[in-house]
Each structure stands twice: as structure tokens, then as C-alpha cells.
Amino acid sequence: MTIIGRFQFDKETLKKYSGQTVIAGVLMMVLGLVGLLAPTLMSVVTVYFLAWLFLFSGLVQGYNTWKNYGGHIGAWVKPTISVITAFLLMFFPLPGVAATAILLVVYLLMDAYSSLTLGWHYKPNKGWWLMLTNGILSIVLAIILLVGWPVSSLVLVGLFVGISLFFDGAALVGMGLGAKKIGDEEIETEKKSRKSEKNN
């Protein structure tokens, strides 16, 4: 087993993890660049993405309610609210951006906690400081978004989603490359050990 920070991986899992992590990181960086270059577009896309999530959630909850709790009116409250929220976001995206800004603040703070914790546990392996930097940046972005709310929400939501995605992606790429390096070193050590055993 290979130990990375406080986590343990076998060589196959480590190899698979590193490749998938780098690919996911690159995709997130590309999406992040879209947000940086076209923040207003990213703001609107984010709102519509949330709208579809609410709609899908509401329909699934509604189907479950109809199948299992059809006779109870109270059980229809949650799916109804989800569907109404979805349509409000779809038909009134600009006010939706302001509301999304508050959700984004919560997300950024949660992302900061997650990144800081993961970075701390991953230390001292390569890429740990990227997670730490990402956590600190998320806190700064959350504060700026709150200070500028709601006037600057249309630009800042897309911009901050882009920045967050870009740095999340960069952190994942750093961690993936670090894990690949550790895996390669582990394989090389194992080959040398086998070679030494044969010679003896």
C-alpha cells in the first residue's frame, strides 16, 4: 500500500486515481476560463443549471410522492416548491443571479473548508499547497461577493464560478500529477527490489 498524506492506496488505484484526477482538473480549468472570459454568460448558465437541477429534483420527488404518499397533501409541498423555484429561475434569471450569489457564498465557504482540510491531510506531498491556496481564495471570493451583493452579482457570480472552477481544476491537476509521480516511484522501487532479489 502507498501512503499519501493520511490516505492509503494500492498501486492500481493510485494509477487510476491520478489519471482521472488530471482529466477532471483540466476540464474544470477549461470551464473556469469560460467564466473568466465571459462572466455574465457564466452567471446566466449557472442560474439555468440550478433551475434544471431544481426541476429534475422536483419531478423525481413528485413521482416518489405520487407513488408512495399520493393521499397526503403535505408530502407535495417540497416537490411543488422545487418545481416553482425552477420556473422562477428560468423565467426571471436576473433576480435568480442575485439569489444564486448567496448560494455561491455558502458554496465557497464550504469549498474553502473542504480544500483547507484536504490540503492539510495531503501535506507534505506535491500539490498540497494548491489545495490550501484554493481554500484561502474561496474565503476571499466569498467576502468580496457578499460586500458587492446584489449590485455586482451579474458579473461576479460568473467570474467567481470561473475562478473557483479554474483553481479547483489546477489543484486537482497538481494532486493528480503528484500521485502519478508517487506511483511511478513506487513501481520503480518495486522493480529494483525484484531485480536485487534475482541477483541474490
Side-chain angles (χ1 to χ4, degrees), residues 72 153 155 192:
H72 300 281
S153 297
V155 174
K192 287 180 180 178

Side-chain angles (χ1 to χ4, degrees), residues 56-83:
F56 178 75
S57 173
L59 292 175
V60 170
Q61 292 170 17
Y63 177 77
N64 183 57
T65 300
W66 174 67
K67 290 289 287 185
N68 300 303
Y69 311 101
H72 300 281
I73 295 176
W76 286 96
V77 172
K78 189 173 181 180
T80 302
I81 289 175
S82 293
V83 171

Side-chain angles (χ1 to χ4, degrees), residues 29 31-39 42 158-163 166-167:
M29 289 177 73
L31 287 173
L33 285 174
V34 173
L36 291 170
L37 297 173
M42 182 61 88
L159 186 64
F160 287 3
V161 167
I163 292 172
F166 184 84
F167 279 94

Side-chain angles (χ1 to χ4, degrees), residues 18-59:
S18 62
Q20 290 177 346
T21 301
V22 170
I23 292 171
V26 170
L27 290 174
M28 288 176 72
M29 289 177 73
V30 170
L31 287 173
L33 285 174
V34 173
L36 291 170
L37 297 173
T40 303
L41 174 64
M42 182 61 88
S43 293
V44 175
V45 168
T46 301
V47 168
Y48 276 103
F49 177 73
L50 286 174
W52 281 103
L53 282 181
F54 273 113
L55 182 60
F56 178 75
S57 173
L59 292 175

Side-chain angles (χ1 to χ4, degrees), residues 125-177:
N125 296 287
K126 185 178 179 180
W128 74 271
W129 63 273
L130 285 169
M131 295 303 296
L132 209 64
T133 302
N134 182 64
I136 294 169
L137 181 65
S138 291
I139 293 173
V140 172
L141 293 177
I143 293 171
I144 293 172
L145 193 55
L146 271 177
V147 171
W149 189 87
V151 179
S152 54
S153 297
L154 184 60
V155 174
L156 290 183
V157 167
L159 186 64
F160 287 3
V161 167
I163 292 172
S164 182
L165 284 172
F166 184 84
F167 279 94
D168 277 344
L172 285 176
V173 169
M175 289 179 66
L177 293 176

